[in-house]
Structures are given as C-alpha cells and as structure tokens.
C-alpha cells in the first residue's frame, strides 16, 4: 500500500510516498530555516505563507520522484497536530482538497507519533512493544509504545522541552537559530566537567524532567561573566550543558526500561540528531544488552516520510478522517484517533 503523506506542522513543507509503513519511495523536504533565522525563531505567519506557496510544488515532486500520481496512490495522510495551527491548516486543507477531488481515504497523523514512526523506516524488523525517548523542539517524553496506535506517556518535561532548552541556551551564546545544531558542534571540542548545572530533577516524579532551570543557569552564567569582564569557554559551556541535558534524558529512559522490562528502546525528534545523545544511547544500550534503534539523521528532523510510516498503522486501525478534520495545536501522544482532531 502506497501512502502520499504531507507535513506542515512547523517550518518544513514536506511530502513523501511511503510503502506499507516501512519503505520510503520518495521524500521531499523544503526547509524555511534560513528565512526564520534572522528573527531568531520560527515566525508562525511567515511559516504559513511559505507553506501555501510551496505545498503544491513539494507534493508534485514527491509524486513525480515516486513515479506516482494522485490517482495511483492508495491513500493520503497529513499531520493534523500538534504544531503551529496556521501552518498545520495549510497541510490539512490541501490534503482534504486532494481527498475530496480524488476520493482517496485521508489519514490524520499525530506529529509526535510520526517522529516515533521514523524508527520503523530505520529498522524493518522493529515492532512494538518498545520504549521511545522523544526529544524535539516542543516535546520531551518517555513513551511506552505498547502497540502502533496504543501509546502511553511514562515521563515528560514539566516546562521547556529539550530542544527548546538547547535553542534558548544557544541563543544566549549568540548562535543562529536553530541553535541546537551549532551547540552540538561546539560541544565536541569542550570539557564537559568545566561548568556545573542544576539537575533537571522533579521531586516525587522520577521519570519527569524540568529543563528551565538549566536554561536559566546558562543565561545567568553568561550574564555574570560579561558583567565581571570574564571570558567564557564556550565549547566547554556547550559540552557541560549538553552533558546535563543528555544525562537527564538517558538515565530516565533506562530507568523506564528497567521498570517496564523493555528490551528495545528508540529515540525520536530533532534532538535525536545530537552527537552526545546518540553516543550515550549506544553505550548504555550495549552495557545493558538493550537494543537501540535510532532514525538516520535525515529522518530526525521534520519530514513527511515518518508521517507516511505512522499513517499506515493508523489506517490498519481504521483511523480515517471525515469532513470534520481540523488542525490542533496541542494533543497528547496517547490520543491520535480522527475524533481527537475534529475540534
Ligand atoms: O523535531 P524537530 O525537528 O521539530 C519539532 O517537532 O519540534 O526538532 C527541532 C529541534 C530544535 O530545537 C533543534 O535545535 C533541535 O531539534 N536539534 C538539535 C540538534 N539538531 C536539531 N538539538 C541538539 N543537537 C542537535 N544536533
Ligand atoms: Zn517535529
């Protein structure tokens, strides 16, 4: 079964054709990052407008690259939330139009479930149950993937997401948006024991995290050093910060694996591109004989192939959109049935 999937939840306009949830036939991502960089973050109005301008070209290219037409694929899928509502609406309305015109079924997909499904594209033999660490710009979660469409949150960030924390710390250091990537690069030549930060611990909730204190500590350190005229060892600041955030994510993930007896753990979201996080997951997995699955770097950020992968399993669960399909800004990952998007 071939699904044409569309993703416009943030600042990437993306379309892909995916076969049986496992094989990418084509994948096109138009990224707006350069345009948002001068503002230091994503400007929702600009994102929506650019999606409007690019979506038909991106979809046409994904179909052409796959040797398909709208008439020859088997179903359509679209990210319906969570994300920027104006951006999501562009994809949702485009997909609804295509579905009406072609008579093809339309599958609404939860963006975070899509990130998790990038792992199905990475490992053909991966099947639930498994645990997944989701670390993106908007979410930090430890998810128990009990089945393809049955997910439960075991731990979460109570405030800033890991990616948001990376971006805000990076911004304070003067790196361009999205700062996580540059912070990762700088950290490689730094000493990770040079600076100390508060642990992202939440009293009474051992699998939850709080990253806002770490972010504030970075901002204060830079501010105080500037006032005293001291120079900051930026690579070491990056490495120390990264160590604090990655340790918090990885220790909680493996605590959850111990509690649930999980033998496989995956990772998802933009922060899963992080060099230290990937190395640390590999090492801990080896030490504990737990299988680690990670999406390739091409699938860690936003793309439509991951949406097409999850859509296949939503389709098998009978999750098809009706006329009431809308876009939603927030939605927990344990909800993702069509009715959850009809608001
Ligand atoms: O999943 P994603 O593409 O978008 C959301 O759905 O939020 O995640 C984007 C986030 C940004 O915060 C970006 O800085 C972060 O992923 N990111 C990284 C790296 N590459 C992207 N953070 C740390 N290290 C990286 N190498
Ligand atoms: Zn994302």
């Amino acid at each position: 079964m071939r699904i044409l999937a569309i993703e416009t939840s943030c600042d990437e306009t993306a379309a892909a054709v995916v076969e049986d949830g496992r094989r990418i036939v084509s994948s096109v991502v138009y990224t707006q990052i350069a345009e948002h960089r001068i503002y230091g973050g994503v400007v929702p109005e600009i994102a929506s407008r650019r999606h409007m301008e690019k979506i038909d070209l991106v979809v046409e290219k994904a179909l052409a690259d796959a040797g398909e037409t709208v008439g020859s694929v088997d179903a359509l899928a679209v990210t319906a939330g969570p994300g920027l509502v104006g951006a999501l609406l562009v994809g949702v309305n485009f997909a609804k139009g295509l579905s009406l015109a072609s008579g093809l079924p339309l599958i609404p997909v939860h963006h975070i479930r899509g990130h998790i499904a990038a792992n199905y594209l990475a490992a053909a033999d991966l099947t639930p149950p498994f645990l997944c660490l989701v670390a993106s710009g908007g979410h930090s979660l430890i998810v128990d993937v009990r089945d393809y469409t049955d997910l439960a949150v075991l731990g979460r960030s109570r405030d800033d997401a890991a990616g948001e924390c990376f971006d805000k710390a990076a911004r304070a250091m003067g790196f361009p948006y999205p700062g996580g990537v540059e912070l990762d690069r700088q950290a490689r030549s730094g000493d990770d024991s040079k600076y100390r930060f508060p642990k992202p611990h939440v009293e009474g909730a051992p699998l939850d995290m709080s990253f806002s204190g770490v972010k504030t500590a970075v901002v204060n350190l830079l501010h105080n050093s500037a006032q005293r005229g001291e120079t900051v060892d930026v690579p070491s600041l990056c490495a120390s910060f990264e160590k604090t955030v990655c340790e918090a994510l990885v220790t909680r993930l493996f605590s959850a694996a111990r509690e649930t007896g999980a033998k496989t753990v995956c990772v998802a979201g933009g922060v899963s591109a992080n060099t230290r996080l990937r190395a640390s997951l590999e090492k801990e997995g080896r030490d504990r004989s737990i299988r680690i699955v990670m999406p390739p770097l091409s699938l860690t950020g936003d793309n439509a192939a991951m949406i097409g992968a999850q859509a296949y399993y939503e389709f098998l669960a009978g999750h098809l959109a009706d006329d009431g399909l809308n876009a939603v800004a927030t939605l927990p990952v344990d909800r993702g049935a069509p009715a959850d998007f009809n608001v």
Side-chain angles (χ1 to χ4, degrees), residues 270-291:
V271 182
S272 68
N274 185 263
T275 312
R276 173 187 284 265
L277 181 65
R278 292 174 86 89
S280 159
L281 287 170
E282 296 264 25
K283 182 190 175 301
E284 297 294 326
R286 250 194 329 268
D287 290 353
R288 295 157 206 253
S289 301
I290 289 180
R291 181 184 181 199

Side-chain angles (χ1 to χ4, degrees), residues 195-211:
Y195 298 100
R196 297 235 171 264
F197 294 110
K199 293 252 183 244
H201 175 75
V202 176
E203 201 59 43
L207 294 182
D208 283 357
M209 300 152 265
S210 166
F211 289 119

Side-chain angles (χ1 to χ4, degrees), residues 12 111-112 115 135-138 163-164 166-167 178-181 184 269-271 273-275 300-302:
E12 265 91 28
H111 181 74
I112 297 301
H115 272 297
S136 72
E164 194 179 351
F166 264 96
D167 290 344
V181 185
D184 182 345
V271 182
N274 185 263
T275 312
T300 54
D302 289 345

Side-chain angles (χ1 to χ4, degrees), residues 111-120 130 132 134 143 145 151 268 333:
H111 181 74
I112 297 301
R113 289 189 181 195
H115 272 297
I116 295 171
N119 290 285
Y120 302 138
F130 58 83
C132 188
V134 177
V143 181
V145 184
L151 298 89
V333 74

